[in-house]
Amino acid sequence: MTATPAAAAHVPLRLPPEDREFSPFTGWTRAHWEATADGLLTAARRFATPGGARLDLPGRPSRTGVRSDGLEGYARTFLAAAFRVAGARGADPHGFLQQYADGLAAGTRTPGRDDAESWPPVLDHTVYGQPMVESASVALGLRLTRPWLWDRLDDAVRDRAEEWLRGALRHVPAPNNWYLFPLTVAGFLESVGRGDEATRRAIRRGLELLEGWYAGEGWYADGDGRAFDHYNGWALHLYPLLHARLAGESAESERLGARLRAHLDGFALLFDGNGAPLHFGRSLTYRFAVNSAVALGALTGHTPLAPGVSRRLLSGCTRYFLDRGALGRDGVLTLGWHGPHEATLQDYSGPASPYWASKGLLPLLVPEDDPLWTAREEAAPSEGPPRALALPSAGLLIQTGGYGGPVRLHNHGSDHVPPHEGESAHAEDPLYARLAYSTRTGPTASGNVPDNHLAVEVPGPHGTPVRSARLRIRPLGAASEPGGAWGWAASWHTPVFPSGGPMVPGLRVQSVTYVRGGLELRVHRVVGAPPGTRVRLTGWATGEPEEGAAVETAAGPETTAGGLHGLYGWDEETPVLLRAPQGTAFTRWARVPALTGDAEGTALFAALATLTAPYGSRRGTASAARTGPRGKGVGGGGGDGSGGGGRAGRSLRSRPAALRRRRLPRRPLERRRHGHPRRLRRGHRRGDHLRRANADALIPYATPVSPRCPPRPGGARPPSAGRCPTPRSSCARSRSPARPPPRWRRAPAGSWPGTPDPPRPCRA
């Protein structure tokens, strides 16, 4: 009997113990994935109607209404159950399929009736068309579980289900990825011997449109415009390639699989070392549905990633959200990013919308003896050295921070403006209009100061200054050095002012971003600016982590710092900090650095931007430090689903090889007073090479420091002085024959390269 929602209480996700030997970065195995699917389904099923046809989850309703939201709850959780049972070759210890079979019979008995069980009919997208979206999940779930569900249904139930599903073939989808929903429904009907001309036409039409949306380098636009986002993975690659695989169409699988492989070449870089995917585009409340492309590559074999890398990305991403409040106390996925977050949502988001994340459980379809589950985890692509990768077809530039740091995407080609619509400043979408996005920051909400934005400010009709918006983006090109040392992307746009604002003929903004290492050089050329024009450039929005979502690391809470420095054309080199009280998906309250300057006619502006994280918050957590492999610090990984990380006292030898290469260079030895060796290099202080490698004071750096001798009475000894004046009887090192491993700390804020360090005690 279905539990009543009134009995809702705290429902923890019960996971097996971590395996840090086999999965050194995340600790997860296939058993964790199965337990996650079971926990999500068990918690959601508690809100099912008596007949099981709808799952009326708690929360605000979507624009399509409560009944449609209940169907959404059924369809999306059914997809998770299908992955779980089909991946276990029919094993269903919790009896999920019988519950969904009962729900299918009840929901299709009288479609459209206003009662507790009946599903709304599938109609055009303009008439509350959300059921068309859910028809694809129902069809795909039935196709995957056919031997254990569909083949055991009564003929009457099968006929009713077919009639309801055919509504997707008779009505008009939205002009984007929605055309793949009829394709998925048609593929299922043909697989069970119920195909006809209508099903063949739906498949043909979907594949024809897909060809027109393909831009190159593995990226599809979501419709006829230039919307490049996460729908590439969880829709535009997923549905057609999975259909081709299930239908046994090898030629089509190879053609679409080659595109998926090209897509993963760049997309795999968009996962942070802590497991986070890129916060960019709409429908982000689907969270770990971004796993779809990586999982589909592992399932079909069309992937450039090693099995251990794929599992590290998949497990790290899923664990990232589960560790940061994605589940409420009742075990149900919340509407937001980490936890609840209103600005992340769209008006079509309802309480069951987050269960599109079920697509992120696609790895369960991969057999348990596949290398995806048997190979040892390997580091993520973003955990290597800093890298830049341009995607000219999409107008995007990827920049990794290196060694598990933040990943950035510079946007010079993706917008959310349909080609048949005009540009309106009120339609500006923060999830597409910004100059850059990252895995550690989210765009500020509408109504707050926009982050990563260049605004042109002109006098309004009543003398009040009016700022422009960035909507339709026209790419000018993008390229990167083959080794990833540097990259650039450029675009132009017409500044759009609010309705009733000024019309400025000839006004245009040309922008280029050049990246190298952790630096971003942003150059903007304003053309056709009238007298009295002002320009404002903002940087990354950062602040304190969301309450309950912060993960403690060896360096403290997981935080991110953004910098902005004026180089040319600005009133001041140092930015002012503006407030964004509504915060972002990562912070409850944010600050945004801003530079301003005058423009008239043609004006040029240049600035340097950075986004950094303390070393300890890049990789592991404090909790993981206590449970690393072989009991050694955080040698294996962080409890946030990230890579290794560490607490103080961890030796350099236990760090990943890529990080061990950052040790101090070997230098001539000199004996100190007490016989302790010290490496010297003429004209250099210890740690200077790290600061010079960063090449910018805005980047916090990590410097290894050894335990210090007690300070000399009367003040600290400058590091350039002679012998250590501390008596041997007072020296802590003389009482400890074994040299302890170095401690790692973040260098003092504001330390500029090439400037003297403050006086400090001598180093032992």
Side-chain angles (χ1 to χ4, degrees):
M1 188 167 187
T2 304
T4 60
H10 182 57
V11 181
L13 199 62
R14 302 186 182 279
L15 299 177
E18 295 181 357
D19 186 343
R20 291 284 172 176
E21 289 288 344
F22 183 61
S23 300
F25 292 91
T26 68
W28 273 33
T29 62
R30 183 184 175 91
H32 291 80
W33 282 84
E34 294 173 342
T36 298
D38 293 343
L40 292 174
L41 288 167
T42 300
R45 291 293 311 175
R46 297 167 64 248
F47 295 90
T49 54
R54 285 162 40 187
L55 272 66
D56 296 323
L57 300 176
R60 68 157 212 191
S62 69
R63 69 185 180 192
T64 55
V66 174
R67 293 177 62 237
S68 177
D69 293 342
L71 166 63
E72 187 175 64
Y74 172 94
R76 299 190 176 192
T77 57
F78 177 39
L79 192 58
F83 290 151
R84 173 70 172 94
V85 176
R89 301 299 182 264
D92 186 10
H94 302 282
F96 290 134
L97 290 193
Q98 185 57 52
Q99 299 174 39
Y100 284 100
D102 295 342
L104 180 68
T108 58
R109 185 170 292 116
T110 53
R113 178 179 291 182
D114 188 9
D115 57 31
E117 304 290 347
S118 297
W119 290 350
V122 179
L123 302 174
D124 292 349
H125 77 98
T126 56
V127 190
Y128 300 109
Q130 189 64 30
M132 184 178 291
V133 181
E134 309 318 320
S135 69
S137 294
V138 173
L140 184 55
L142 290 172
R143 192 172 186 179
L144 293 172
T145 60
R146 177 184 174 182
W148 312 287
L149 197 159
W150 178 263
D151 290 347
R152 300 180 182 181
L153 293 174
D154 296 337
D155 289 339
V157 176
R158 288 200 289 255
D159 292 342
R160 295 202 309 264
E162 177 189 356
E163 180 60 25
W164 183 83
L165 288 169
R166 280 188 176 272
L169 309 182
R170 302 188 188 107
H171 293 89
V172 181
N176 52 21
N177 68 89
W178 278 40
Y179 273 88
L180 300 180
F181 304 146
L183 179 150
T184 303
V185 170
F188 163 67
L189 293 177
E190 292 206 339
S191 71
V192 294
R194 295 179 178 241
D196 56 16
E197 181 56 33
T199 58
R200 290 188 288 273
R201 184 169 55 248
I203 294 173
R204 186 168 58 249
R205 178 61 171 159
L207 294 177
E208 287 174 353
L209 289 173
L210 194 69
E211 285 302 301
W213 297 336
Y214 186 65
E217 298 165 317
W219 286 81
Y220 294 98
D222 188 14
D224 289 340
R226 291 194 58 84
F228 300 97
D229 51 28
H230 285 301
Y231 275 84
N232 265 267
W234 62 49
L236 296 163
H237 280 289
L238 177 67
Y239 289 119
L241 182 53
L242 198 54
H243 161 69
R245 175 181 173 82
L246 294 174
E249 299 175 359
S250 57
E252 188 70 3
S253 293
E254 288 297 325
R255 186 177 69 87
L256 297 176
R259 294 179 179 179
L260 176 62
R261 180 185 295 272
H263 177 74
L264 290 174
D265 275 329
F267 184 73
L269 290 170
L270 296 179
F271 290 85
D272 197 307
N274 65 6
L278 184 75
H279 191 279
F280 170 59
R282 64 189 180 98
S283 301
L284 293 175
T285 193
Y286 301 162
R287 294 184 174 99
F288 48 88
V290 299
N291 283 341
S292 300
V294 178
L296 186 61
L299 176 67
T300 62
H302 298 294
T303 178
L305 306 174
V309 175
S310 294
R311 191 172 85 253
R312 188 264 183 275
L313 295 179
L314 295 168
S315 298
C317 178
T318 304
R319 182 166 186 176
Y320 172 83
F321 289 107
L322 297 182
D323 286 350
R324 288 166 174 78
L327 298 180
R329 288 185 56 83
D330 53 7
V332 173
L333 288 170
T334 57
L335 281 163
W337 182 247
H338 290 161
H341 186 248
E342 185 70 22
T344 295
L345 311 179
Q346 288 73 41
D347 60 356
Y348 56 77
S349 301
S353 295
Y355 282 87
W356 192 281
S358 296
K359 294 183 177 183
L361 301 177
L362 180 65
L364 289 172
L365 283 183
V366 180
E368 60 183 355
D369 58 351
D370 188 270
L372 178 70
W373 303 115
T374 59
R376 195 171 189 266
E377 276 186 352
E378 301 177 38
S382 68
E383 292 178 294
R387 181 181 173 189
L389 178 66
L391 303 171
S393 58
L396 303 175
L397 176 64
I398 301 172
Q399 179 187 14
T400 68
Y403 307 107
V407 178
R408 285 160 275 186
L409 181 74
H410 301 279
N411 180 24
H412 289 271
S414 178
D415 59 47
H416 201 213
V417 184
H420 60 278
E421 293 184 5
E423 297 179 76
S424 170
H426 296 293
E428 183 183 32
D429 191 338
L431 297 170
Y432 292 88
R434 303 295 190 250
L435 290 164
Y437 298 86
S438 85
T439 56
R440 297 291 182 99
T441 66
T444 53
S446 299
N448 285 218
V449 55
D451 62 305
N452 289 321
H453 180 69
L454 183 88
V456 178
E457 182 182 292
V458 298
H462 305 289
T464 304
V466 180
R467 292 191 180 94
S468 68
R470 182 184 189 228
L471 282 95
R472 183 167 280 119
I473 303 170
R474 283 87 166 181
L476 293 174
S480 55
E481 192 266 337
W486 53 262
W488 64 269
S491 63
W492 70 272
H493 73 276
T494 299
V496 179
F497 297 94
S499 178
M503 296 296 296
V504 185
L507 182 61
R508 177 180 294 187
V509 174
Q510 301 164 340
S511 305
V512 61
T513 302
Y514 174 85
V515 303
R516 189 181 186 99
L519 303 179
E520 313 164 30
L521 176 63
R522 302 180 181 181
V523 180
H524 303 275
R525 184 171 180 254
V526 180
V527 180
T533 299
R534 297 278 292 171
V535 173
R536 184 182 72 183
L537 175 68
T538 54
W540 298 97
T542 58
E544 294 300 321
E546 188 77 38
E547 184 177 355
V551 172
E552 194 75 14
T553 69
E558 190 177 58
T559 59
T560 303
L564 189 65
H565 184 74
L567 299 177
Y568 184 85
W570 309 105
D571 296 338
E572 301 287 344
E573 294 180 353
T574 304
V576 297
L577 291 179
L578 306 179
R579 300 184 175 198
Q582 200 171 346
T584 70
F586 297 79
T587 64
R588 298 185 60 201
W589 192 91
R591 296 181 180 88
V592 182
L595 298 168
T596 56
D598 294 320
E600 182 174 351
T602 299
L604 188 67
F605 301 89
L608 197 66
T610 58
L611 182 68
T612 58
Y615 178 80
S617 69
R618 289 185 176 192
R619 300 180 57 82
T621 64
S623 60
R626 295 187 289 271
T627 59
R630 298 177 299 279
K632 293 182 180 179
V634 245
D640 56 353
S642 68
R647 56 178 169 179
R650 173 187 174 208
S651 71
L652 282 173
R653 183 60 58 185
S654 66
R655 292 183 177 273
L659 293 177
R660 290 203 300 268
R661 288 194 293 269
R662 299 184 68 177
R663 289 179 297 177
L664 295 175
R666 298 187 65 83
R667 311 172 197 163
L669 293 177
E670 178 189 70
R671 288 288 175 181
R672 295 187 182 181
R673 175 179 177 181
H674 304 315
H676 304 307
R678 177 185 182 185
R679 296 191 180 276
L680 300 177
R681 187 178 180 183
R682 185 180 300 275
H684 287 77
R685 295 181 305 279
R686 188 169 191 173
D688 275 0
H689 70 293
L690 292 177
R691 292 190 285 275
R692 289 188 171 89
N694 285 324
D696 186 78
L698 299 175
I699 298 182
Y701 54 87
T703 303
V705 293
S706 300
R708 301 174 180 175
C709 293
R712 179 183 180 182
R717 178 180 64 85
S720 59
R723 291 179 173 273
C724 176
T726 307
R728 182 177 179 85
S729 61
S730 303
C731 181
R733 287 296 306 277
S734 65
R735 299 190 297 271
S736 178
R739 182 182 179 88
R743 292 180 291 109
W744 285 75
R745 64 173 175 85
R746 182 179 173 181
S751 297
W752 287 77
T755 58
D757 287 342
R760 63 182 67 180
C762 66
R763 301 180 189 273

